[in-house]
Amino acid sequence: MGDTFIRIYDECFDDVYRYVCFKIGNKWDADDIVSETFRKAYEKQSSLTEVENPKAWLFMIARNTVIDFYRKKKNILIGDEMEFYFNPLPFEDPFHESDEMECLKKSLNYLSKEDLEITNLRYFADLRFKEIAEILDKTEQSLRVKSSRITKKLGLLVKKCLGEE
């Protein structure tokens, strides 16, 4: 059982870390949340024998740990008010960014909470549609269609930001 956990840790750590950093927006809190995620996963590893997709299982734990973080930190209830807190702070990047990257970051702010979560899981956490479907309790096909629409929308928003038609 311990070998399975170590394998999952090694395979998923970078993806979980990117996902949490994007959701939280700062390295210090992200470090704590990632540690907490893997602590919870370690404590629940006995249920891994019943889990069909360990990576999706781990991301459910990470997602819930992020929600718990905001609950404790902001003393708010999950609901409509949570959307305000779930828009991440700008990710700290010490390098000079290109205009395209800056426009992409600005364009992400125009996505709905659900669209941003799908984008985050797909591109920052590098999950497959099957894994995202398990986490969000949606069908793979609906996520493929929605992801395609989100990508087109982001493309248009970035072009508009860059001053292109």
Side-chain angles (χ1 to χ4, degrees):
M1 185 58 69
D3 290 342
T4 303
F5 179 79
I6 291 170
R7 182 182 51 77
I8 292 169
Y9 179 89
D10 289 342
E11 290 174 4
C12 299
F13 181 85
D14 290 343
D15 293 338
V16 169
Y17 192 81
R18 269 192 309 275
Y19 171 79
V20 172
C21 276
F22 182 78
K23 296 299 277 182
I24 300 300
N26 74 69
K27 180 187 180 321
W28 298 274
D29 288 333
D31 288 346
D32 291 343
I33 291 168
V34 170
S35 295
E36 180 69 8
T37 297
F38 281 101
R39 183 194 63 77
K40 289 176 181 178
Y42 181 79
E43 290 175 355
K44 296 176 183 179
Q45 71 177 314
S46 62
S47 66
L48 273 174
T49 56
E50 304 162 14
V51 173
E52 187 176 316
N53 187 330
K55 190 171 184 179
W57 172 80
L58 184 60
F59 270 87
M60 277 192 233
I61 294 172
R63 187 171 187 248
N64 289 335
T65 305
V66 168
I67 291 169
D68 290 346
F69 167 81
Y70 279 113
R71 255 193 212 135
K72 289 175 189 170
K73 188 161 182 91
K74 304 296 182 186
N75 292 325
I76 60 169
L77 298 174
I78 299 297
D80 292 336
E81 305 89 30
M82 189 63 183
E83 189 168 337
F84 172 75
Y85 294 102
F86 244 163
N87 287 332
L89 300 170
F91 187 72
E92 300 162 356
D93 187 353
F95 301 106
H96 177 68
E97 294 181 1
S98 67
D99 290 341
E100 292 86 1
M101 184 59 76
E102 190 61 37
C103 282
L104 177 60
K105 284 185 176 183
K106 287 178 183 177
S107 297
L108 288 172
N109 292 324
Y110 289 97
L111 296 181
S112 69
K113 184 173 90 171
E114 181 183 50
D115 289 355
L116 188 59
E117 184 73 358
I118 291 168
T119 303
N120 188 4
L121 290 169
R122 179 77 177 132
Y123 297 105
F124 289 92
D126 199 29
L127 294 178
R128 296 184 318 252
F129 286 112
K130 180 179 181 180
E131 295 164 331
I132 299 169
E134 288 180 41
I135 293 168
L136 299 180
D137 195 27
K138 300 202 179 280
T139 66
E140 279 185 66
Q141 186 57 34
S142 69
L143 287 171
R144 287 180 191 281
V145 170
K146 193 153 185 74
S147 180
S148 176
R149 290 178 182 159
I150 294 167
T151 303
K152 287 177 186 173
K153 180 178 181 179
L154 281 173
L156 292 172
L157 289 168
V158 169
K159 283 183 178 182
K160 184 176 181 179
C161 174
L162 291 170
E164 299 173 13
E165 289 303 317

